[in-house]
Amino acid sequence: QVQLVESGGGLVQPGGSLRLSCVASGFTLDYYAIGWFRQAPGKEREGVSCISSSGGSTYYADSVKGRFTISRDNAKNTVYLQMDSLKPEDTAVYDCATDDGSSCHAYQSWPRYLGVWGQGALVTVSS
């Protein structure tokens, strides 16, 4: 079964850190760009970050630039999102996904009906 599974979410205080993992099963991540997305209650989905298949290109939304870092370990079939200096407004369900391509072109607009999407991990930033 082809799927992506996120883990690492949880409750953290403002200013804290979390690392999300996105593990692929049923296929090899090596050839695909992976994006991270989030959606807070009552808000539209936001493309947070993306990494190309080679790892040579990374992209970040302005809202997380300088605080989040995306990386990949193809040997472990895993993509990570390191989140530092977390703020209450980072609270959301975070998903990872691929649109079956190797680049991050227009990643913020990847439709959910294409490619492979994970089930989501809840991140809550609160004191």
Side-chain angles (χ1 to χ4, degrees):
Q1 183 180 4
V2 173
Q3 60 179 350
L4 293 170
V5 179
E6 302 94 341
S7 62
L11 174 64
V12 64
Q13 292 187 340
S17 297
L18 282 175
R19 188 177 78 162
L20 300 180
S21 298
C22 172
V23 180
S25 62
F27 70 108
T28 301
L29 274 182
D30 298 33
Y31 307 112
Y32 303 107
I34 299 295
W36 281 100
F37 303 82
R38 68 184 181 186
Q39 188 163 19
K43 294 188 176 181
E44 292 188 355
R45 189 191 75 185
E46 177 185 19
V48 173
S49 184
C50 187
I51 187 167
S52 63
S53 59
S54 68
S57 298
T58 57
Y59 304 86
Y60 299 94
D62 288 343
S63 57
V64 305
K65 201 169 292 183
R67 300 187 298 121
F68 289 13
T69 303
I70 192 170
S71 62
R72 65 191 300 152
D73 184 341
N74 286 344
K76 294 183 178 180
N77 228 21
T78 302
V79 171
Y80 303 99
L81 186 68
Q82 177 67 40
M83 306 185 294
D84 299 318
S85 302
L86 283 162
K87 305 175 181 179
E89 51 263 43
D90 295 317
T91 295
V93 174
Y94 285 71
D95 294 291
C96 61
T98 175
D99 77 338
D100 296 337
S102 62
S103 80
C104 291
H105 176 68
Y107 79 95
Q108 294 178 324
S109 301
W110 288 353
R112 291 193 69 94
Y113 57 83
L114 288 179
V116 181
W117 289 76
Q119 84 290 349
L122 177 61
V123 172
T124 303
V125 184
S126 175
S127 56

